[in-house]
Amino acid sequence: MMETDKNAPVGVFDSGVGGLTVVREIMRQIPEERIVYFGDTARVPYGSKSADTVIRYSRQIIRFLQTKKVKAIVIACNTASACALDVVAEETDIPVIGVINAGARTAVGATRNGRIGVIGTEATIGSGIYTRVMQRLRPDIQVAGKPCPLFVPLVEEGLLHDSVTDEIASRYLSSLKEKYIDTLVLGCTHYPLLRSTLRRLMGEDVVLVNPAYETAIELKGLLQERGLGRDPEAPLEGEQYQFYVSDLAEKFTSFATSILPGAVKETRKIDIENY
């Protein structure tokens, strides 16, 4: 096996724009690292697709990222982490991490009454993965999952602070409030963009766990442990941050700019089906 270049970029991928919340946290936690981001905007959403399809998409994206010589890959999508992480991590000779383990660990550490809520796509909630990971860490934890399929389109339409979003969110969250959860995992990378709405509806006593932040911390630790952290003095060779999508590059760029002001110079469209 070739030795990995520690000055190589980190690959990050998502079904669309949600994974940019993970990129934002990586930029904050390890600002010296280079990042290649891929958003599968032609095939979004993943949350309503079968596990087999999500695994096939993830394999194609990993093959694309490997052409960019990445040193590690972050699956910045809860659905792909739930459906594909274990399969693709086995097949790939560089480290691959997802967003679920870090978020689950943090939630288990944060809960006081042992009742944790998870909101996510239908695929993520249906997979039961958060429940399995949390109960491995602490068997007596009670986990209540709630699919929130309308949140992703609302976020992608830019309706972050809107009465429609409030109304839908209060419907989704009412069943979780009845279960007296004290910790809520934002189990989809789009959801941190709705944080203020979720905070208001759940109340101050409920801890909101943002797996994007926890994943950036996990990546930082992994790179340090393996001696793969980038030398801040090394020359950059091109843009520090590169963005690729499978469709709608202009729409992606305008949305990305609202999450990462100044970071997205250009978004390139590629044909992911060729990988």
Side-chain angles (χ1 to χ4, degrees):
M1 180 183 157
M2 296 168 27
E3 194 171 322
T4 311
D5 173 12
K6 67 176 190 174
N7 296 324
V10 172
V12 181
F13 78 87
D14 177 52
S15 58
V17 296
L20 294 170
T21 60
V22 178
V23 171
R24 180 169 67 181
E25 298 297 344
I26 295 171
M27 289 175 176
R28 284 177 186 159
Q29 301 304 324
I30 23 182
E32 66 279 6
E33 292 296 340
R34 297 164 58 207
I35 299 171
V36 178
Y37 181 87
F38 177 79
D40 199 359
T41 46
R43 304 186 295 198
V44 70
Y46 282 12
S48 50
K49 297 190 168 65
S50 71
D52 287 350
T53 298
V54 174
I55 290 169
R56 183 167 65 84
Y57 290 176
S58 300
R59 282 178 173 143
Q60 288 178 319
I61 295 165
I62 287 171
R63 285 196 284 270
F64 164 69
L65 289 172
Q66 287 182 310
T67 68
K68 299 293 169 198
K69 307 278 190 281
V70 296
K71 62 185 174 185
I73 291 174
V74 178
I75 304 183
C77 169
N78 282 265
T79 302
S81 297
C83 300
L85 175 64
D86 292 348
V87 177
V88 296
E90 285 283 294
E91 302 169 342
T92 312
D93 57 6
I94 55 171
V96 182
I97 63 170
V99 282
I100 287 174
N101 290 342
R105 257 201 318 273
T106 305
V108 169
T111 184
R112 303 171 304 282
N113 70 5
R115 294 165 184 250
I116 298 174
V118 181
I119 51 176
T121 65
E122 296 184 56
T124 300
I125 301 302
S127 75
I129 187 155
Y130 270 104
T131 307
R132 284 198 302 281
V133 174
M134 289 187 212
Q135 288 181 341
R136 264 208 305 272
L137 296 167
R138 196 181 134 185
D140 63 323
I141 291 270
Q142 290 179 297
V143 185
K146 178 68 185 171
C148 301
L150 292 170
F151 279 171
V152 168
L154 289 167
V155 168
E156 298 207 348
E157 287 301 324
L159 300 174
L160 303 181
H161 306 286
D162 191 279
S163 56
V164 175
T165 308
D166 283 3
E167 168 67 21
I168 289 168
S170 63
R171 284 194 197 187
Y172 282 156
L173 297 175
S174 63
S175 64
L176 292 178
K177 290 177 87 159
E178 287 163 13
K179 301 202 164 92
Y180 301 107
I181 60 167
D182 71 356
T183 305
L184 179 64
V185 179
L186 310 186
C188 170
T189 47
H190 284 71
Y191 297 179
L193 300 168
L194 297 173
R195 191 187 184 101
S196 57
T197 302
L198 299 171
R199 155 70 50 239
R200 195 175 65 247
L201 289 169
M202 292 309 295
E204 290 301 320
D205 296 339
V206 175
V207 176
L208 299 184
V209 174
N210 175 5
Y213 168 78
E214 310 301 341
T215 302
I217 301 288
E218 183 181 342
L219 174 66
K220 184 179 186 174
L222 173 89
L223 295 178
Q224 281 169 349
E225 189 185 302
R226 304 216 180 179
L228 287 176
R230 182 174 172 273
D231 173 3
E233 305 299 305
L236 264 176
E237 298 163 34
E239 291 281 338
Q240 183 174 3
Y241 304 123
Q242 296 176 35
F243 298 89
Y244 295 87
V245 292
S246 46
D247 203 7
L248 300 170
E250 292 76 20
K251 187 176 175 188
F252 176 89
T253 303
S254 68
F255 191 93
T257 304
S258 66
I259 302 180
L260 304 170
V264 188
K265 306 276 186 291
E266 160 184 31
T267 306
R268 298 178 186 89
K269 177 176 178 254
I270 60 147
D271 187 351
I272 194 64
E273 296 286 2
N274 290 337
Y275 289 88

